Amino acid sequence: ALNYALARLYAEAGLVNNAIHYLRMAYMSGFDDNGKLMKDRGFDAIRKTPQFRLFMTEEHIKDPGDADQQSFFIEANSPRRR
């Protein structure tokens, strides 16, 4: 819980690398509430940064806000469209 709280504080301060570091520590320590992370407004300031996106990819976290992007990708790569 401490690592998550530190990550949130750093995210609110706009210190992306520090926030990601403590998020990684939180996940390594057993934090696994992806829904909480994606809804927590404390991470709004860094959610669209490349570092946060990379972290999400590495942790296999889906961004519910990217549903349009995912459906576009699926449709664009559909065998019927080729």
Side-chain angles (χ1 to χ4, degrees):
L2 177 61
N3 288 320
Y4 183 87
L6 288 170
R8 189 177 198 277
L9 288 172
Y10 280 120
E12 289 172 338
L15 299 170
V16 179
N17 292 331
N18 290 358
I20 299 300
H21 170 77
Y22 282 101
L23 273 176
R24 286 188 197 290
M25 297 296 289
Y27 272 80
M28 286 192 290
S29 299
F31 179 84
D32 65 353
D33 191 346
N34 297 339
K36 177 179 179 177
L37 174 62
M38 296 312 296
K39 292 176 187 170
D40 191 333
R41 304 220 18 133
F43 292 96
D44 285 353
I46 69 164
R47 197 165 275 128
K48 298 295 181 188
T49 64
Q51 297 96 319
F52 191 84
R53 294 287 194 181
L54 177 61
F55 170 77
M56 289 175 47
T57 300
E58 291 171 351
E59 292 297 330
H60 307 286
I61 302 169
K62 292 187 171 52
D63 182 352
D66 278 351
D68 293 337
Q69 211 171 27
Q70 290 171 1
S71 63
F72 171 79
F73 178 79
I74 291 168
E75 186 174 314
N77 290 298
S78 168
R80 288 178 272 157
R81 304 234 347 138
R82 293 181 185 175

PDB file of all heavy atoms in Angstrom, residues 6 8 21 24-25 27 31 38 46 48 52 63 67-68 71-72 75-77 80:
ATOM      1  N   LEU A   6       2.901   6.204  -2.632  1.00  0.00           N
ATOM      2  CA  LEU A   6       4.015   7.022  -3.114  1.00  0.00           C
ATOM      3  C   LEU A   6       3.905   7.263  -4.613  1.00  0.00           C
ATOM      4  O   LEU A   6       4.148   8.378  -5.104  1.00  0.00           O
ATOM      5  CB  LEU A   6       5.349   6.360  -2.778  1.00  0.00           C
ATOM      6  CG  LEU A   6       5.756   6.394  -1.309  1.00  0.00           C
ATOM      7  CD1 LEU A   6       6.958   5.491  -1.067  1.00  0.00           C
ATOM      8  CD2 LEU A   6       6.039   7.822  -0.870  1.00  0.00           C
ATOM      9  N   ARG A   8       1.218   7.404  -6.355  1.00  0.00           N
ATOM     10  CA  ARG A   8       0.127   8.370  -6.550  1.00  0.00           C
ATOM     11  C   ARG A   8       0.605   9.792  -6.254  1.00  0.00           C
ATOM     12  O   ARG A   8       0.310  10.726  -7.002  1.00  0.00           O
ATOM     13  CB  ARG A   8      -1.052   8.008  -5.656  1.00  0.00           C
ATOM     14  CG  ARG A   8      -2.301   8.808  -5.921  1.00  0.00           C
ATOM     15  CD  ARG A   8      -3.432   8.299  -5.012  1.00  0.00           C
ATOM     16  NE  ARG A   8      -4.719   8.716  -5.471  1.00  0.00           N
ATOM     17  CZ  ARG A   8      -5.265   9.902  -5.204  1.00  0.00           C
ATOM     18  NH1 ARG A   8      -4.605  10.777  -4.486  1.00  0.00           N
ATOM     19  NH2 ARG A   8      -6.462  10.194  -5.661  1.00  0.00           N
ATOM     20  N   HIS A  21       8.219   4.081 -11.121  1.00  0.00           N
ATOM     21  CA  HIS A  21       9.091   3.265 -10.266  1.00  0.00           C
ATOM     22  C   HIS A  21       8.292   2.682  -9.100  1.00  0.00           C
ATOM     23  O   HIS A  21       8.366   1.473  -8.826  1.00  0.00           O
ATOM     24  CB  HIS A  21      10.256   4.110  -9.746  1.00  0.00           C
ATOM     25  CG  HIS A  21      11.053   3.413  -8.686  1.00  0.00           C
ATOM     26  ND1 HIS A  21      11.968   2.421  -8.975  1.00  0.00           N
ATOM     27  CD2 HIS A  21      11.049   3.550  -7.336  1.00  0.00           C
ATOM     28  CE1 HIS A  21      12.491   1.978  -7.841  1.00  0.00           C
ATOM     29  NE2 HIS A  21      11.962   2.651  -6.832  1.00  0.00           N
ATOM     30  N   ARG A  24       5.745   0.090 -10.146  1.00  0.00           N
ATOM     31  CA  ARG A  24       6.396  -1.210 -10.356  1.00  0.00           C
ATOM     32  C   ARG A  24       6.636  -1.909  -9.010  1.00  0.00           C
ATOM     33  O   ARG A  24       6.411  -3.112  -8.878  1.00  0.00           O
ATOM     34  CB  ARG A  24       7.730  -1.032 -11.078  1.00  0.00           C
ATOM     35  CG  ARG A  24       7.608  -0.703 -12.527  1.00  0.00           C
ATOM     36  CD  ARG A  24       8.968  -0.730 -13.221  1.00  0.00           C
ATOM     37  NE  ARG A  24       8.931  -0.042 -14.488  1.00  0.00           N
ATOM     38  CZ  ARG A  24       8.300  -0.450 -15.571  1.00  0.00           C
ATOM     39  NH1 ARG A  24       7.630  -1.582 -15.521  1.00  0.00           N
ATOM     40  NH2 ARG A  24       8.319   0.246 -16.678  1.00  0.00           N
ATOM     41  N   MET A  25       7.108  -1.137  -8.042  1.00  0.00           N
ATOM     42  CA  MET A  25       7.344  -1.701  -6.706  1.00  0.00           C
ATOM     43  C   MET A  25       6.033  -2.217  -6.103  1.00  0.00           C
ATOM     44  O   MET A  25       6.009  -3.285  -5.485  1.00  0.00           O
ATOM     45  CB  MET A  25       7.965  -0.649  -5.787  1.00  0.00           C
ATOM     46  CG  MET A  25       9.333  -0.154  -6.236  1.00  0.00           C
ATOM     47  SD  MET A  25      10.593  -1.424  -6.241  1.00  0.00           S
ATOM     48  CE  MET A  25      10.793  -1.655  -4.495  1.00  0.00           C
ATOM     49  N   TYR A  27       3.389  -3.337  -7.727  1.00  0.00           N
ATOM     50  CA  TYR A  27       3.007  -4.574  -8.405  1.00  0.00           C
ATOM     51  C   TYR A  27       3.902  -5.732  -7.986  1.00  0.00           C
ATOM     52  O   TYR A  27       3.438  -6.852  -7.821  1.00  0.00           O
ATOM     53  CB  TYR A  27       2.996  -4.384  -9.924  1.00  0.00           C
ATOM     54  CG  TYR A  27       1.673  -3.878 -10.424  1.00  0.00           C
ATOM     55  CD1 TYR A  27       1.331  -2.528 -10.325  1.00  0.00           C
ATOM     56  CD2 TYR A  27       0.732  -4.741 -10.971  1.00  0.00           C
ATOM     57  CE1 TYR A  27       0.103  -2.064 -10.756  1.00  0.00           C
ATOM     58  CE2 TYR A  27      -0.499  -4.291 -11.406  1.00  0.00           C
ATOM     59  CZ  TYR A  27      -0.803  -2.950 -11.296  1.00  0.00           C
ATOM     60  OH  TYR A  27      -2.026  -2.499 -11.717  1.00  0.00           O
ATOM     61  N   PHE A  31       0.402  -5.772  -5.350  1.00  0.00           N
ATOM     62  CA  PHE A  31      -0.756  -4.974  -5.782  1.00  0.00           C
ATOM     63  C   PHE A  31      -1.206  -5.492  -7.137  1.00  0.00           C
ATOM     64  O   PHE A  31      -0.398  -5.689  -8.035  1.00  0.00           O
ATOM     65  CB  PHE A  31      -0.386  -3.487  -5.883  1.00  0.00           C
ATOM     66  CG  PHE A  31      -1.526  -2.625  -6.356  1.00  0.00           C
ATOM     67  CD1 PHE A  31      -2.470  -2.169  -5.458  1.00  0.00           C
ATOM     68  CD2 PHE A  31      -1.659  -2.284  -7.687  1.00  0.00           C
ATOM     69  CE1 PHE A  31      -3.534  -1.385  -5.887  1.00  0.00           C
ATOM     70  CE2 PHE A  31      -2.710  -1.498  -8.126  1.00  0.00           C
ATOM     71  CZ  PHE A  31      -3.651  -1.048  -7.224  1.00  0.00           C
ATOM     72  N   MET A  38      -6.703   2.258 -12.847  1.00  0.00           N
ATOM     73  CA  MET A  38      -7.226   2.948 -14.027  1.00  0.00           C
ATOM     74  C   MET A  38      -8.301   3.969 -13.671  1.00  0.00           C
ATOM     75  O   MET A  38      -8.572   4.881 -14.450  1.00  0.00           O
ATOM     76  CB  MET A  38      -7.758   1.934 -15.047  1.00  0.00           C
ATOM     77  CG  MET A  38      -6.661   1.035 -15.603  1.00  0.00           C
ATOM     78  SD  MET A  38      -5.167   1.922 -16.144  1.00  0.00           S
ATOM     79  CE  MET A  38      -5.823   2.911 -17.481  1.00  0.00           C
ATOM     80  N   ILE A  46      -0.492  11.521 -15.454  1.00  0.00           N
ATOM     81  CA  ILE A  46       0.534  10.745 -16.167  1.00  0.00           C
ATOM     82  C   ILE A  46      -0.043   9.633 -17.031  1.00  0.00           C
ATOM     83  O   ILE A  46       0.689   8.967 -17.756  1.00  0.00           O
ATOM     84  CB  ILE A  46       1.560  10.144 -15.184  1.00  0.00           C
ATOM     85  CG1 ILE A  46       0.939   9.053 -14.322  1.00  0.00           C
ATOM     86  CG2 ILE A  46       2.202  11.226 -14.333  1.00  0.00           C
ATOM     87  CD1 ILE A  46       1.948   8.181 -13.613  1.00  0.00           C
ATOM     88  N   LYS A  48      -1.544   9.325 -19.819  1.00  0.00           N
ATOM     89  CA  LYS A  48      -1.338   9.314 -21.279  1.00  0.00           C
ATOM     90  C   LYS A  48       0.134   9.422 -21.678  1.00  0.00           C
ATOM     91  O   LYS A  48       0.452   9.519 -22.849  1.00  0.00           O
ATOM     92  CB  LYS A  48      -2.129  10.459 -21.933  1.00  0.00           C
ATOM     93  CG  LYS A  48      -3.630  10.355 -21.745  1.00  0.00           C
ATOM     94  CD  LYS A  48      -4.207   9.158 -22.436  1.00  0.00           C
ATOM     95  CE  LYS A  48      -5.713   9.093 -22.256  1.00  0.00           C
ATOM     96  NZ  LYS A  48      -6.273   7.859 -22.753  1.00  0.00           N
ATOM     97  N   PHE A  52       3.844   5.639 -18.798  1.00  0.00           N
ATOM     98  CA  PHE A  52       2.700   4.950 -18.197  1.00  0.00           C
ATOM     99  C   PHE A  52       2.161   3.894 -19.157  1.00  0.00           C
ATOM    100  O   PHE A  52       1.812   2.780 -18.755  1.00  0.00           O
ATOM    101  CB  PHE A  52       1.609   5.954 -17.817  1.00  0.00           C
ATOM    102  CG  PHE A  52       0.517   5.355 -16.969  1.00  0.00           C
ATOM    103  CD1 PHE A  52       0.671   5.253 -15.596  1.00  0.00           C
ATOM    104  CD2 PHE A  52      -0.659   4.904 -17.533  1.00  0.00           C
ATOM    105  CE1 PHE A  52      -0.332   4.695 -14.804  1.00  0.00           C
ATOM    106  CE2 PHE A  52      -1.667   4.354 -16.764  1.00  0.00           C
ATOM    107  CZ  PHE A  52      -1.497   4.244 -15.391  1.00  0.00           C
ATOM    108  N   ASP A  63      -6.490  -0.470 -20.951  1.00  0.00           N
ATOM    109  CA  ASP A  63      -7.058   0.851 -20.681  1.00  0.00           C
ATOM    110  C   ASP A  63      -8.489   0.857 -21.202  1.00  0.00           C
ATOM    111  O   ASP A  63      -8.707   0.781 -22.403  1.00  0.00           O
ATOM    112  CB  ASP A  63      -6.237   1.928 -21.373  1.00  0.00           C
ATOM    113  CG  ASP A  63      -6.731   3.332 -21.089  1.00  0.00           C
ATOM    114  OD1 ASP A  63      -7.806   3.483 -20.464  1.00  0.00           O
ATOM    115  OD2 ASP A  63      -6.046   4.284 -21.487  1.00  0.00           O
ATOM    116  N   ALA A  67     -11.059   1.602 -25.946  1.00  0.00           N
ATOM    117  CA  ALA A  67     -11.918   0.629 -26.639  1.00  0.00           C
ATOM    118  C   ALA A  67     -12.068   0.976 -28.112  1.00  0.00           C
ATOM    119  O   ALA A  67     -12.033   0.099 -28.967  1.00  0.00           O
ATOM    120  CB  ALA A  67     -13.281   0.552 -25.966  1.00  0.00           C
ATOM    121  N   ASP A  68     -12.209   2.259 -28.433  1.00  0.00           N
ATOM    122  CA  ASP A  68     -12.338   2.659 -29.835  1.00  0.00           C
ATOM    123  C   ASP A  68     -11.079   2.324 -30.610  1.00  0.00           C
ATOM    124  O   ASP A  68     -11.134   1.850 -31.731  1.00  0.00           O
ATOM    125  CB  ASP A  68     -12.617   4.165 -29.947  1.00  0.00           C
ATOM    126  CG  ASP A  68     -13.980   4.539 -29.392  1.00  0.00           C
ATOM    127  OD1 ASP A  68     -14.852   3.654 -29.327  1.00  0.00           O
ATOM    128  OD2 ASP A  68     -14.160   5.711 -29.033  1.00  0.00           O
ATOM    129  N   SER A  71     -10.943  -1.492 -31.237  1.00  0.00           N
ATOM    130  CA  SER A  71     -11.859  -1.967 -32.268  1.00  0.00           C
ATOM    131  C   SER A  71     -11.400  -1.507 -33.644  1.00  0.00           C
ATOM    132  O   SER A  71     -11.534  -2.224 -34.622  1.00  0.00           O
ATOM    133  CB  SER A  71     -13.288  -1.505 -31.991  1.00  0.00           C
ATOM    134  OG  SER A  71     -13.380  -0.106 -32.021  1.00  0.00           O
ATOM    135  N   PHE A  72     -10.808  -0.314 -33.740  1.00  0.00           N
ATOM    136  CA  PHE A  72     -10.274   0.160 -35.008  1.00  0.00           C
ATOM    137  C   PHE A  72      -9.151  -0.754 -35.469  1.00  0.00           C
ATOM    138  O   PHE A  72      -9.087  -1.163 -36.613  1.00  0.00           O
ATOM    139  CB  PHE A  72      -9.752   1.603 -34.880  1.00  0.00           C
ATOM    140  CG  PHE A  72      -8.989   2.049 -36.099  1.00  0.00           C
ATOM    141  CD1 PHE A  72      -9.660   2.444 -37.234  1.00  0.00           C
ATOM    142  CD2 PHE A  72      -7.610   2.049 -36.101  1.00  0.00           C
ATOM    143  CE1 PHE A  72      -8.967   2.834 -38.361  1.00  0.00           C
ATOM    144  CE2 PHE A  72      -6.898   2.439 -37.213  1.00  0.00           C
ATOM    145  CZ  PHE A  72      -7.580   2.839 -38.348  1.00  0.00           C
ATOM    146  N   GLU A  75     -10.581  -4.088 -36.657  1.00  0.00           N
ATOM    147  CA  GLU A  75     -11.257  -3.954 -37.946  1.00  0.00           C
ATOM    148  C   GLU A  75     -10.253  -3.703 -39.071  1.00  0.00           C
ATOM    149  O   GLU A  75     -10.358  -4.275 -40.147  1.00  0.00           O
ATOM    150  CB  GLU A  75     -12.274  -2.814 -37.902  1.00  0.00           C
ATOM    151  CG  GLU A  75     -13.098  -2.725 -39.161  1.00  0.00           C
ATOM    152  CD  GLU A  75     -14.193  -1.700 -39.050  1.00  0.00           C
ATOM    153  OE1 GLU A  75     -14.881  -1.676 -38.022  1.00  0.00           O
ATOM    154  OE2 GLU A  75     -14.339  -0.925 -40.004  1.00  0.00           O
ATOM    155  N   ALA A  76      -9.275  -2.861 -38.828  1.00  0.00           N
ATOM    156  CA  ALA A  76      -8.281  -2.518 -39.853  1.00  0.00           C
ATOM    157  C   ALA A  76      -7.439  -3.722 -40.238  1.00  0.00           C
ATOM    158  O   ALA A  76      -6.943  -3.815 -41.365  1.00  0.00           O
ATOM    159  CB  ALA A  76      -7.388  -1.369 -39.367  1.00  0.00           C
ATOM    160  N   ASN A  77      -7.269  -4.662 -39.311  1.00  0.00           N
ATOM    161  CA  ASN A  77      -6.438  -5.837 -39.579  1.00  0.00           C
ATOM    162  C   ASN A  77      -7.267  -7.087 -39.845  1.00  0.00           C
ATOM    163  O   ASN A  77      -6.727  -8.182 -39.860  1.00  0.00           O
ATOM    164  CB  ASN A  77      -5.482  -6.060 -38.402  1.00  0.00           C
ATOM    165  CG  ASN A  77      -4.426  -4.983 -38.366  1.00  0.00           C
ATOM    166  OD1 ASN A  77      -3.646  -4.857 -39.294  1.00  0.00           O
ATOM    167  ND2 ASN A  77      -4.438  -4.189 -37.317  1.00  0.00           N
ATOM    168  N   ARG A  80     -11.008  -9.723 -43.825  1.00  0.00           N
ATOM    169  CA  ARG A  80     -11.981  -9.259 -44.814  1.00  0.00           C
ATOM    170  C   ARG A  80     -11.597  -7.926 -45.430  1.00  0.00           C
ATOM    171  O   ARG A  80     -12.042  -7.586 -46.492  1.00  0.00           O
ATOM    172  CB  ARG A  80     -13.361  -9.152 -44.178  1.00  0.00           C
ATOM    173  CG  ARG A  80     -13.957 -10.525 -43.901  1.00  0.00           C
ATOM    174  CD  ARG A  80     -15.279 -10.390 -43.234  1.00  0.00           C
ATOM    175  NE  ARG A  80     -15.001 -10.327 -41.789  1.00  0.00           N
ATOM    176  CZ  ARG A  80     -15.783  -9.797 -40.897  1.00  0.00           C
ATOM    177  NH1 ARG A  80     -16.913  -9.244 -41.238  1.00  0.00           N
ATOM    178  NH2 ARG A  80     -15.471  -9.807 -39.631  1.00  0.00           N
TER     179      ARG A  80
END
